[in-house]
PDB file of all heavy atoms in Angstrom:
ATOM      1  N   SER A  83      11.638 -20.416   7.496  1.00 98.00           N
ATOM      2  CA  SER A  83      10.851 -21.506   7.972  1.00 98.00           C
ATOM      3  C   SER A  83      10.618 -21.490   9.607  1.00 98.00           C
ATOM      4  O   SER A  83       9.735 -22.111  10.053  1.00 98.00           O
ATOM      5  CB  SER A  83      11.509 -22.844   7.628  1.00 98.00           C
ATOM      6  OG  SER A  83      12.862 -22.820   8.131  1.00 98.00           O
ATOM      7  N   SER A  84      11.621 -20.691  10.207  1.00 98.00           N
ATOM      8  CA  SER A  84      11.449 -20.793  11.732  1.00 98.00           C
ATOM      9  C   SER A  84      12.143 -19.435  12.219  1.00 98.00           C
ATOM     10  O   SER A  84      12.968 -18.816  11.430  1.00 98.00           O
ATOM     11  CB  SER A  84      12.010 -21.984  12.350  1.00 98.00           C
ATOM     12  OG  SER A  84      13.434 -21.972  12.129  1.00 98.00           O
ATOM     13  N   GLY A  85      12.038 -19.190  13.509  1.00 98.00           N
ATOM     14  CA  GLY A  85      12.717 -18.122  14.170  1.00 98.00           C
ATOM     15  C   GLY A  85      14.276 -18.425  14.159  1.00 98.00           C
ATOM     16  O   GLY A  85      15.066 -17.533  14.072  1.00 98.00           O
ATOM     17  N   GLN A  86      14.520 -19.692  14.381  1.00 98.00           N
ATOM     18  CA  GLN A  86      15.863 -20.070  14.451  1.00 98.00           C
ATOM     19  C   GLN A  86      16.519 -19.834  13.139  1.00 98.00           C
ATOM     20  O   GLN A  86      17.688 -19.340  13.090  1.00 98.00           O
ATOM     21  CB  GLN A  86      15.985 -21.642  14.718  1.00 98.00           C
ATOM     22  CG  GLN A  86      15.755 -22.011  16.202  1.00 98.00           C
ATOM     23  CD  GLN A  86      16.764 -21.320  17.098  1.00 98.00           C
ATOM     24  OE1 GLN A  86      16.383 -20.608  17.887  1.00 98.00           O
ATOM     25  NE2 GLN A  86      18.020 -21.725  17.100  1.00 98.00           N
ATOM     26  N   ALA A  87      15.919 -20.139  12.004  1.00 98.00           N
ATOM     27  CA  ALA A  87      16.380 -19.899  10.666  1.00 98.00           C
ATOM     28  C   ALA A  87      16.668 -18.361  10.466  1.00 98.00           C
ATOM     29  O   ALA A  87      17.644 -17.984   9.807  1.00 98.00           O
ATOM     30  CB  ALA A  87      15.597 -20.474   9.584  1.00 98.00           C
ATOM     31  N   ALA A  88      15.743 -17.629  11.002  1.00 98.00           N
ATOM     32  CA  ALA A  88      15.811 -16.133  10.811  1.00 98.00           C
ATOM     33  C   ALA A  88      17.151 -15.584  11.560  1.00 98.00           C
ATOM     34  O   ALA A  88      17.899 -14.861  10.972  1.00 98.00           O
ATOM     35  CB  ALA A  88      14.615 -15.470  11.403  1.00 98.00           C
ATOM     36  N   ASN A  89      17.295 -15.975  12.739  1.00 98.00           N
ATOM     37  CA  ASN A  89      18.488 -15.579  13.361  1.00 98.00           C
ATOM     38  C   ASN A  89      19.736 -16.120  12.827  1.00 98.00           C
ATOM     39  O   ASN A  89      20.788 -15.379  12.716  1.00 98.00           O
ATOM     40  CB  ASN A  89      18.488 -15.930  14.928  1.00 98.00           C
ATOM     41  CG  ASN A  89      17.539 -14.978  15.659  1.00 98.00           C
ATOM     42  OD1 ASN A  89      17.433 -13.786  15.353  1.00 98.00           O
ATOM     43  ND2 ASN A  89      16.863 -15.387  16.703  1.00 98.00           N
ATOM     44  N   ILE A 109      19.367 -14.282  26.131  1.00 93.00           N
ATOM     45  CA  ILE A 109      18.527 -14.455  25.027  1.00 93.00           C
ATOM     46  C   ILE A 109      17.960 -15.815  25.023  1.00 93.00           C
ATOM     47  O   ILE A 109      18.301 -16.687  25.923  1.00 93.00           O
ATOM     48  CB  ILE A 109      19.457 -14.337  23.759  1.00 93.00           C
ATOM     49  CG1 ILE A 109      20.685 -15.265  23.812  1.00 93.00           C
ATOM     50  CG2 ILE A 109      19.964 -12.889  23.524  1.00 93.00           C
ATOM     51  CD1 ILE A 109      21.512 -15.374  22.551  1.00 93.00           C
ATOM     52  N   TYR A 110      17.065 -16.053  24.157  1.00 92.00           N
ATOM     53  CA  TYR A 110      16.362 -17.319  24.038  1.00 92.00           C
ATOM     54  C   TYR A 110      17.391 -18.432  23.936  1.00 92.00           C
ATOM     55  O   TYR A 110      18.412 -18.382  23.330  1.00 92.00           O
ATOM     56  CB  TYR A 110      15.620 -17.288  22.705  1.00 92.00           C
ATOM     57  CG  TYR A 110      14.911 -18.545  22.272  1.00 92.00           C
ATOM     58  CD1 TYR A 110      13.793 -19.000  23.107  1.00 92.00           C
ATOM     59  CD2 TYR A 110      15.255 -19.237  21.163  1.00 92.00           C
ATOM     60  CE1 TYR A 110      13.091 -20.224  22.760  1.00 92.00           C
ATOM     61  CE2 TYR A 110      14.599 -20.370  20.802  1.00 92.00           C
ATOM     62  CZ  TYR A 110      13.562 -20.893  21.544  1.00 92.00           C
ATOM     63  OH  TYR A 110      12.900 -22.047  21.245  1.00 92.00           O
ATOM     64  N   GLY A 111      16.964 -19.626  24.709  1.00 88.00           N
ATOM     65  CA  GLY A 111      17.941 -20.743  24.799  1.00 88.00           C
ATOM     66  C   GLY A 111      18.459 -21.263  23.414  1.00 88.00           C
ATOM     67  O   GLY A 111      19.511 -21.683  23.266  1.00 88.00           O
ATOM     68  N   GLY A 112      17.489 -21.414  22.452  1.00 92.00           N
ATOM     69  CA  GLY A 112      17.842 -21.892  21.090  1.00 92.00           C
ATOM     70  C   GLY A 112      18.900 -21.020  20.388  1.00 92.00           C
ATOM     71  O   GLY A 112      19.771 -21.508  19.749  1.00 92.00           O
ATOM     72  N   THR A 113      18.756 -19.683  20.586  1.00 96.00           N
ATOM     73  CA  THR A 113      19.658 -18.752  19.965  1.00 96.00           C
ATOM     74  C   THR A 113      20.960 -18.875  20.651  1.00 96.00           C
ATOM     75  O   THR A 113      22.089 -18.839  20.028  1.00 96.00           O
ATOM     76  CB  THR A 113      19.058 -17.337  20.033  1.00 96.00           C
ATOM     77  OG1 THR A 113      17.760 -17.360  19.580  1.00 96.00           O
ATOM     78  CG2 THR A 113      19.849 -16.438  19.191  1.00 96.00           C
ATOM     79  N   PHE A 152      24.213  -8.321  18.958  1.00 99.00           N
ATOM     80  CA  PHE A 152      22.843  -8.948  18.856  1.00 99.00           C
ATOM     81  C   PHE A 152      22.231  -8.911  20.420  1.00 99.00           C
ATOM     82  O   PHE A 152      22.867  -9.078  21.323  1.00 99.00           O
ATOM     83  CB  PHE A 152      23.076 -10.478  18.536  1.00 99.00           C
ATOM     84  CG  PHE A 152      21.632 -11.276  18.394  1.00 99.00           C
ATOM     85  CD1 PHE A 152      21.104 -11.326  17.157  1.00 99.00           C
ATOM     86  CD2 PHE A 152      21.180 -11.799  19.550  1.00 99.00           C
ATOM     87  CE1 PHE A 152      19.944 -12.053  17.067  1.00 99.00           C
ATOM     88  CE2 PHE A 152      19.916 -12.450  19.388  1.00 99.00           C
ATOM     89  CZ  PHE A 152      19.306 -12.587  18.176  1.00 99.00           C
ATOM     90  N   GLU A 154      18.026  -9.157  22.382  1.00 98.00           N
ATOM     91  CA  GLU A 154      16.523  -9.255  22.301  1.00 98.00           C
ATOM     92  C   GLU A 154      15.863  -8.124  23.034  1.00 98.00           C
ATOM     93  O   GLU A 154      16.272  -7.764  24.224  1.00 98.00           O
ATOM     94  CB  GLU A 154      16.067 -10.584  22.990  1.00 98.00           C
ATOM     95  CG  GLU A 154      16.496 -11.879  22.141  1.00 98.00           C
ATOM     96  CD  GLU A 154      15.927 -13.125  22.874  1.00 98.00           C
ATOM     97  OE1 GLU A 154      15.341 -13.128  23.828  1.00 98.00           O
ATOM     98  OE2 GLU A 154      16.401 -14.170  22.263  1.00 98.00           O
ATOM     99  N   ILE A 156      12.903  -7.873  24.499  1.00 98.00           N
ATOM    100  CA  ILE A 156      12.568  -8.415  25.825  1.00 98.00           C
ATOM    101  C   ILE A 156      13.089  -9.855  25.694  1.00 98.00           C
ATOM    102  O   ILE A 156      12.619 -10.656  24.825  1.00 98.00           O
ATOM    103  CB  ILE A 156      11.120  -8.413  26.069  1.00 98.00           C
ATOM    104  CG1 ILE A 156      10.443  -7.076  25.915  1.00 98.00           C
ATOM    105  CG2 ILE A 156      10.712  -9.040  27.493  1.00 98.00           C
ATOM    106  CD1 ILE A 156       8.951  -7.040  26.010  1.00 98.00           C
ATOM    107  N   SER A 157      13.846 -10.246  26.696  1.00 94.00           N
ATOM    108  CA  SER A 157      14.462 -11.626  26.612  1.00 94.00           C
ATOM    109  C   SER A 157      13.557 -12.648  26.979  1.00 94.00           C
ATOM    110  O   SER A 157      12.661 -12.591  27.898  1.00 94.00           O
ATOM    111  CB  SER A 157      15.777 -11.655  27.458  1.00 94.00           C
ATOM    112  OG  SER A 157      15.399 -11.564  28.886  1.00 94.00           O
ATOM    113  N   ASN A 158      13.592 -13.811  26.258  1.00 88.00           N
ATOM    114  CA  ASN A 158      12.850 -14.993  26.604  1.00 88.00           C
ATOM    115  C   ASN A 158      13.683 -15.944  27.336  1.00 88.00           C
ATOM    116  O   ASN A 158      14.666 -16.405  26.755  1.00 88.00           O
ATOM    117  CB  ASN A 158      12.298 -15.597  25.243  1.00 88.00           C
ATOM    118  CG  ASN A 158      11.625 -16.895  25.427  1.00 88.00           C
ATOM    119  OD1 ASN A 158      11.418 -17.360  26.494  1.00 88.00           O
ATOM    120  ND2 ASN A 158      11.219 -17.486  24.271  1.00 88.00           N
ATOM    121  N   ASP A 183      16.302  -9.188  18.045  1.00 98.00           N
ATOM    122  CA  ASP A 183      15.216 -10.102  17.961  1.00 98.00           C
ATOM    123  C   ASP A 183      14.115  -9.490  18.705  1.00 98.00           C
ATOM    124  O   ASP A 183      14.012  -9.247  19.946  1.00 98.00           O
ATOM    125  CB  ASP A 183      15.570 -11.398  18.708  1.00 98.00           C
ATOM    126  CG  ASP A 183      14.563 -12.508  18.640  1.00 98.00           C
ATOM    127  OD1 ASP A 183      13.364 -12.133  18.536  1.00 98.00           O
ATOM    128  OD2 ASP A 183      14.974 -13.748  18.541  1.00 98.00           O
ATOM    129  N   ASN A 184      13.056  -9.110  17.933  1.00 98.00           N
ATOM    130  CA  ASN A 184      11.848  -8.342  18.541  1.00 98.00           C
ATOM    131  C   ASN A 184      10.578  -9.160  18.638  1.00 98.00           C
ATOM    132  O   ASN A 184       9.517  -8.720  18.701  1.00 98.00           O
ATOM    133  CB  ASN A 184      11.573  -7.169  17.478  1.00 98.00           C
ATOM    134  CG  ASN A 184      10.739  -6.019  18.225  1.00 98.00           C
ATOM    135  OD1 ASN A 184      10.927  -5.793  19.335  1.00 98.00           O
ATOM    136  ND2 ASN A 184       9.875  -5.489  17.357  1.00 98.00           N
ATOM    137  N   THR A 185      10.808 -10.485  18.891  1.00 98.00           N
ATOM    138  CA  THR A 185       9.821 -11.457  18.995  1.00 98.00           C
ATOM    139  C   THR A 185       8.689 -11.118  20.045  1.00 98.00           C
ATOM    140  O   THR A 185       7.564 -11.124  19.840  1.00 98.00           O
ATOM    141  CB  THR A 185      10.325 -12.833  19.145  1.00 98.00           C
ATOM    142  OG1 THR A 185      11.085 -13.243  18.114  1.00 98.00           O
ATOM    143  CG2 THR A 185       9.153 -13.893  19.344  1.00 98.00           C
ATOM    144  N   PHE A 186       9.153 -10.728  21.228  1.00 98.00           N
ATOM    145  CA  PHE A 186       8.269 -10.724  22.281  1.00 98.00           C
ATOM    146  C   PHE A 186       7.370  -9.368  22.259  1.00 98.00           C
ATOM    147  O   PHE A 186       6.168  -9.532  22.400  1.00 98.00           O
ATOM    148  CB  PHE A 186       9.033 -10.870  23.642  1.00 98.00           C
ATOM    149  CG  PHE A 186       9.017 -12.217  24.201  1.00 98.00           C
ATOM    150  CD1 PHE A 186       8.822 -13.405  23.375  1.00 98.00           C
ATOM    151  CD2 PHE A 186       9.225 -12.443  25.591  1.00 98.00           C
ATOM    152  CE1 PHE A 186       8.804 -14.626  23.886  1.00 98.00           C
ATOM    153  CE2 PHE A 186       9.199 -13.753  26.092  1.00 98.00           C
ATOM    154  CZ  PHE A 186       9.018 -14.866  25.228  1.00 98.00           C
ATOM    155  N   THR A 203      14.773  -9.274  13.783  1.00 99.00           N
ATOM    156  CA  THR A 203      14.406 -10.662  13.530  1.00 99.00           C
ATOM    157  C   THR A 203      13.171 -11.050  14.297  1.00 99.00           C
ATOM    158  O   THR A 203      12.897 -10.331  15.354  1.00 99.00           O
ATOM    159  CB  THR A 203      15.453 -11.735  13.783  1.00 99.00           C
ATOM    160  OG1 THR A 203      15.852 -11.617  15.179  1.00 99.00           O
ATOM    161  CG2 THR A 203      16.795 -11.468  12.966  1.00 99.00           C
ATOM    162  N   HIS A 204      12.423 -11.958  13.909  1.00 98.00           N
ATOM    163  CA  HIS A 204      11.304 -12.390  14.579  1.00 98.00           C
ATOM    164  C   HIS A 204      11.147 -14.062  14.494  1.00 98.00           C
ATOM    165  O   HIS A 204      11.465 -14.564  13.433  1.00 98.00           O
ATOM    166  CB  HIS A 204       9.957 -11.928  13.987  1.00 98.00           C
ATOM    167  CG  HIS A 204       9.682 -10.514  14.266  1.00 98.00           C
ATOM    168  ND1 HIS A 204       9.089 -10.118  15.460  1.00 98.00           N
ATOM    169  CD2 HIS A 204       9.891  -9.409  13.611  1.00 98.00           C
ATOM    170  CE1 HIS A 204       9.094  -8.799  15.622  1.00 98.00           C
ATOM    171  NE2 HIS A 204       9.487  -8.331  14.370  1.00 98.00           N
ATOM    172  N   SER A 205      10.689 -14.623  15.657  1.00 98.00           N
ATOM    173  CA  SER A 205      10.021 -15.871  15.513  1.00 98.00           C
ATOM    174  C   SER A 205       8.610 -15.548  15.290  1.00 98.00           C
ATOM    175  O   SER A 205       7.901 -15.179  16.289  1.00 98.00           O
ATOM    176  CB  SER A 205      10.262 -16.643  16.907  1.00 98.00           C
ATOM    177  OG  SER A 205       9.315 -17.813  16.888  1.00 98.00           O
ATOM    178  N   THR A 206       8.079 -15.692  14.178  1.00 98.00           N
ATOM    179  CA  THR A 206       6.647 -15.346  13.856  1.00 98.00           C
ATOM    180  C   THR A 206       5.757 -16.411  14.529  1.00 98.00           C
ATOM    181  O   THR A 206       4.635 -16.227  14.573  1.00 98.00           O
ATOM    182  CB  THR A 206       6.322 -15.275  12.384  1.00 98.00           C
ATOM    183  OG1 THR A 206       6.621 -16.488  11.737  1.00 98.00           O
ATOM    184  CG2 THR A 206       7.260 -14.238  11.760  1.00 98.00           C
ATOM    185  N   THR A 207       6.425 -17.525  14.905  1.00 98.00           N
ATOM    186  CA  THR A 207       5.658 -18.649  15.716  1.00 98.00           C
ATOM    187  C   THR A 207       4.881 -18.078  16.928  1.00 98.00           C
ATOM    188  O   THR A 207       3.902 -18.746  17.270  1.00 98.00           O
ATOM    189  CB  THR A 207       6.720 -19.629  16.138  1.00 98.00           C
ATOM    190  OG1 THR A 207       7.678 -19.798  15.122  1.00 98.00           O
ATOM    191  CG2 THR A 207       6.151 -20.939  16.530  1.00 98.00           C
ATOM    192  N   LYS A 208       5.356 -16.966  17.435  1.00 98.00           N
ATOM    193  CA  LYS A 208       4.779 -16.501  18.708  1.00 98.00           C
ATOM    194  C   LYS A 208       3.604 -15.590  18.422  1.00 98.00           C
ATOM    195  O   LYS A 208       2.684 -15.954  17.844  1.00 98.00           O
ATOM    196  CB  LYS A 208       6.039 -15.889  19.468  1.00 98.00           C
ATOM    197  CG  LYS A 208       7.313 -16.702  19.613  1.00 98.00           C
ATOM    198  CD  LYS A 208       7.069 -18.093  20.213  1.00 98.00           C
ATOM    199  CE  LYS A 208       8.300 -18.977  19.971  1.00 98.00           C
ATOM    200  NZ  LYS A 208       9.600 -18.449  20.260  1.00 98.00           N
ATOM    201  N   ALA A 216       1.527 -22.240  13.307  1.00 97.00           N
ATOM    202  CA  ALA A 216       2.521 -22.346  12.238  1.00 97.00           C
ATOM    203  C   ALA A 216       3.890 -21.854  12.754  1.00 97.00           C
ATOM    204  O   ALA A 216       4.019 -20.661  13.237  1.00 97.00           O
ATOM    205  CB  ALA A 216       2.134 -21.539  11.048  1.00 97.00           C
ATOM    206  N   VAL A 217       4.938 -22.731  12.708  1.00 98.00           N
ATOM    207  CA  VAL A 217       6.286 -22.200  13.024  1.00 98.00           C
ATOM    208  C   VAL A 217       6.848 -21.275  11.845  1.00 98.00           C
ATOM    209  O   VAL A 217       6.593 -21.694  10.653  1.00 98.00           O
ATOM    210  CB  VAL A 217       7.267 -23.455  13.234  1.00 98.00           C
ATOM    211  CG1 VAL A 217       8.748 -23.060  13.412  1.00 98.00           C
ATOM    212  CG2 VAL A 217       6.782 -24.280  14.365  1.00 98.00           C
ATOM    213  N   GLY A 218       7.511 -20.198  12.182  1.00 98.00           N
ATOM    214  CA  GLY A 218       8.004 -19.432  11.158  1.00 98.00           C
ATOM    215  C   GLY A 218       8.905 -18.220  11.636  1.00 98.00           C
ATOM    216  O   GLY A 218       9.005 -18.095  12.910  1.00 98.00           O
ATOM    217  N   GLY A 219       9.587 -17.610  10.722  1.00 98.00           N
ATOM    218  CA  GLY A 219      10.466 -16.455  11.190  1.00 98.00           C
ATOM    219  C   GLY A 219      10.495 -15.476  10.167  1.00 98.00           C
ATOM    220  O   GLY A 219       9.945 -15.592   8.979  1.00 98.00           O
ATOM    221  N   HIS A 370       5.890 -23.748  24.483  1.00 87.00           N
ATOM    222  CA  HIS A 370       5.513 -22.666  23.563  1.00 87.00           C
ATOM    223  C   HIS A 370       5.262 -21.420  24.400  1.00 87.00           C
ATOM    224  O   HIS A 370       4.887 -21.649  25.622  1.00 87.00           O
ATOM    225  CB  HIS A 370       4.200 -23.022  22.748  1.00 87.00           C
ATOM    226  CG  HIS A 370       3.934 -22.193  21.596  1.00 87.00           C
ATOM    227  ND1 HIS A 370       2.997 -21.274  21.554  1.00 87.00           N
ATOM    228  CD2 HIS A 370       4.664 -22.181  20.456  1.00 87.00           C
ATOM    229  CE1 HIS A 370       3.069 -20.645  20.266  1.00 87.00           C
ATOM    230  NE2 HIS A 370       4.114 -21.184  19.699  1.00 87.00           N
ATOM    231  N   VAL A 371       5.213 -20.366  23.823  1.00 91.00           N
ATOM    232  CA  VAL A 371       4.781 -19.083  24.561  1.00 91.00           C
ATOM    233  C   VAL A 371       4.153 -18.266  23.570  1.00 91.00           C
ATOM    234  O   VAL A 371       4.143 -18.419  22.366  1.00 91.00           O
ATOM    235  CB  VAL A 371       6.018 -18.157  25.022  1.00 91.00           C
ATOM    236  CG1 VAL A 371       6.679 -18.734  26.338  1.00 91.00           C
ATOM    237  CG2 VAL A 371       7.069 -17.963  23.937  1.00 91.00           C
ATOM    238  N   ALA A 372       3.364 -17.247  24.115  1.00 94.00           N
ATOM    239  CA  ALA A 372       2.885 -16.189  23.235  1.00 94.00           C
ATOM    240  C   ALA A 372       1.862 -16.696  22.205  1.00 94.00           C
ATOM    241  O   ALA A 372       1.832 -16.191  21.110  1.00 94.00           O
ATOM    242  CB  ALA A 372       4.080 -15.559  22.430  1.00 94.00           C
ATOM    243  N   ARG A 405       8.130 -20.045  33.668  1.00 93.00           N
ATOM    244  CA  ARG A 405       7.720 -19.125  32.616  1.00 93.00           C
ATOM    245  C   ARG A 405       6.267 -19.156  32.294  1.00 93.00           C
ATOM    246  O   ARG A 405       5.794 -20.254  32.001  1.00 93.00           O
ATOM    247  CB  ARG A 405       8.499 -19.382  31.305  1.00 93.00           C
ATOM    248  CG  ARG A 405       8.327 -18.415  30.128  1.00 93.00           C
ATOM    249  CD  ARG A 405       9.081 -18.709  29.007  1.00 93.00           C
ATOM    250  NE  ARG A 405       8.567 -19.936  28.285  1.00 93.00           N
ATOM    251  CZ  ARG A 405       9.203 -20.342  27.142  1.00 93.00           C
ATOM    252  NH1 ARG A 405      10.189 -19.874  26.644  1.00 93.00           N
ATOM    253  NH2 ARG A 405       8.673 -21.501  26.667  1.00 93.00           N
TER     254      ARG A 405
HETATM  255  C1  PLP B   1      10.951 -18.912  19.943  1.00 94.98           C
HETATM  256  C2  PLP B   1      11.978 -17.997  19.784  1.00 94.98           C
HETATM  257  C3  PLP B   1      13.041 -18.063  18.823  1.00 94.98           C
HETATM  258  C4  PLP B   1      13.026 -19.283  17.978  1.00 94.98           C
HETATM  259  O1  PLP B   1      12.050 -19.380  17.117  1.00 94.98           O
HETATM  260  P1  PLP B   1      11.366 -20.730  16.361  1.00 94.98           P
HETATM  261  O2  PLP B   1      10.299 -20.192  15.599  1.00 94.98           O
HETATM  262  O3  PLP B   1      10.958 -21.507  17.510  1.00 94.98           O
HETATM  263  O4  PLP B   1      12.427 -21.283  15.654  1.00 94.98           O
HETATM  264  C5  PLP B   1      13.972 -17.114  18.645  1.00 94.98           C
HETATM  265  N1  PLP B   1      13.900 -16.058  19.491  1.00 94.98           N
HETATM  266  C6  PLP B   1      12.938 -15.921  20.394  1.00 94.98           C
HETATM  267  C7  PLP B   1      12.972 -14.537  21.240  1.00 94.98           C
HETATM  268  C8  PLP B   1      12.026 -16.813  20.629  1.00 94.98           C
HETATM  269  O5  PLP B   1      11.088 -16.647  21.570  1.00 94.98           O
END
Side-chain angles (χ1 to χ4, degrees):
S83 56
S84 67
Q86 284 300 112
N89 281 327
I109 54 172
Y110 175 67
T113 313
F152 184 95
E154 289 176 7
I156 305 174
S157 66
N158 174 6
D183 183 329
N184 198 36
T185 296
F186 267 21
T203 60
H204 282 280
S205 166
T206 61
T207 318
K208 312 297 165 53
V217 173
H370 201 252
V371 285
R405 183 178 75 178

